[in-house]
Amino acid sequence: LYNFFPILLRTLVILLLIVALARPRLAHKRQQITGKGVDIILAIDVSGSMQAVDFQPTNRLEAAKEVAIDFIKRRRNDRIGLIVFAENAYTQCPLTLDYNILMTIMEKMEINKDANGTAIGMGLATAVARLRESQVKSKVIILITDGRNNAGEIDPLFAADLAATYGIKVYPIGVGSKGLVDFPFQTPFGIQYRKVNIEIDMEALNQICLLYTSPSPRDRTRSRMPSS
């Protein structure tokens, strides 16, 4: 037996080397993630005014997408969803922890050039609908827009009241610069740019931001409810 020991030892070493080179992995590995997550909805304006090119060399929507994607990359354990709105609002991605899918959807997001307005209230209300049943303690809507509410059936301040009722914080972000900005127009000679003035209703956005900290949001919401 002693004579066979070196052979057995060499055989064992060779087998271990083969196993090491094969780099075995667990086919199904579960990892428990701990932490206090936040549910976040990104509500982004995709109306025609977002074509304005005051973030040279890119337009407002592309600039907003870059900031949003950078924000997503910095999150951990937070579910994030995506709402887009122009004259109507749509859910592009429900709340998810799969940030890769979310960022892929966001990268493909385009401006709705056929829209006839900006329904900020609809966008905000749709985001509230996505978050109101959430059981997490912290619920947030990040509202990104460049214009005024001029479409839809819901007033932005009423939608902000609803958000406050459900304990949802709203952080509005105005995108764009004041004054005249370059805006693309289709001509027989291709795309040309003209100076236009697109006003941002910062007063309304500031009011939306302040509503969450105002007293008695439930009483305020009831008083604004339309009568049946």
Side-chain angles (χ1 to χ4, degrees), residues 144-160:
I144 302 176
T145 182
D146 76 332
R148 293 176 175 271
N149 185 76
N150 54 19
E153 301 174 353
I154 300 178
D155 180 77
L157 295 181
F158 177 72

Side-chain angles (χ1 to χ4, degrees), residues 6 8 16 24 70 85 122-123 126 130 149 158 171 182 205 209:
L8 292 173
L16 290 175
D70 182 66
F85 63 93
M122 294 290 290
T126 303
R130 280 290 175 182
N149 185 76
F158 177 72
Y171 296 100
D182 289 330
L205 296 183
C209 187

Side-chain angles (χ1 to χ4, degrees), residues 7-224:
I7 298 174
L8 292 173
L9 183 60
R10 284 197 298 271
T11 302
L12 180 60
V13 170
I14 292 172
L15 288 173
L16 290 175
L17 285 173
I18 293 173
V19 171
L21 291 172
R23 301 177 65 183
R25 299 179 182 179
L26 291 175
H28 300 282
K29 182 180 179 181
R30 292 185 178 180
Q31 181 180 4
Q32 184 175 2
I33 300 175
T34 58
K36 296 181 179 179
V38 180
D39 278 356
I40 303 168
I41 290 290
L42 297 170
I44 301 180
D45 187 346
V46 294
S47 62
S49 59
M50 294 291 278
Q51 297 176 81
V53 185
D54 45 359
F55 292 96
Q56 295 288 351
T58 188
N59 62 34
R60 293 178 175 181
L61 179 61
E62 293 302 318
K65 286 161 61 174
E66 289 178 12
V67 172
I69 288 174
D70 182 66
F71 170 80
I72 294 168
K73 290 179 178 178
R74 296 173 183 268
R75 308 311 298 176
R76 295 290 184 275
N77 305 335
D78 298 329
R79 296 195 304 169
I80 305 176
L82 175 63
I83 300 289
V84 299
F85 63 93
E87 58 184 338
N88 292 300
Y90 305 95
T91 299
Q92 291 291 97
C93 182
L95 291 167
T96 182
L97 284 168
D98 194 332
Y99 299 160
N100 289 328
I101 288 180
L102 177 60
M103 288 187 290
T104 298
I105 293 173
M106 186 167 293
E107 287 171 353
K108 296 179 180 179
M109 187 169 57
E110 297 180 348
I111 293 171
N112 185 351
K113 298 179 182 179
D114 297 326
N116 294 317
T118 304
I120 297 175
M122 294 290 290
L124 186 52
T126 303
V128 171
R130 280 290 175 182
L131 286 174
R132 66 180 181 178
E133 301 297 334
S134 171
Q135 299 301 312
V136 302
K137 291 184 178 180
S138 297
K139 295 176 283 188
V140 173
I141 296 171
I142 300 177
L143 176 68
I144 302 176
T145 182
D146 76 332
R148 293 176 175 271
N149 185 76
N150 54 19
E153 301 174 353
I154 300 178
D155 180 77
L157 295 181
F158 177 72
D161 274 335
L162 291 178
T165 300
Y166 290 105
I168 303 170
K169 296 179 182 179
V170 181
Y171 296 100
I173 300 175
V175 180
S177 55
K178 293 182 178 179
L180 296 175
V181 296
D182 289 330
F183 195 87
F185 288 89
Q186 181 67 51
T187 73
F189 306 100
I191 299 293
Q192 295 187 359
Y193 292 85
R194 304 172 192 169
K195 295 290 185 180
V196 298
N197 185 25
I198 304 173
E199 295 184 3
I200 302 175
D201 191 356
M202 289 305 300
E203 181 180 351
L205 296 183
N206 289 333
Q207 288 179 337
I208 289 172
C209 187
L210 291 173
L211 275 174
Y212 184 81
T213 57
S214 299
S216 303
R218 289 182 181 274
D219 294 338
R220 189 174 60 250
T221 300
R222 288 196 199 97
S223 67
R224 294 172 61 93

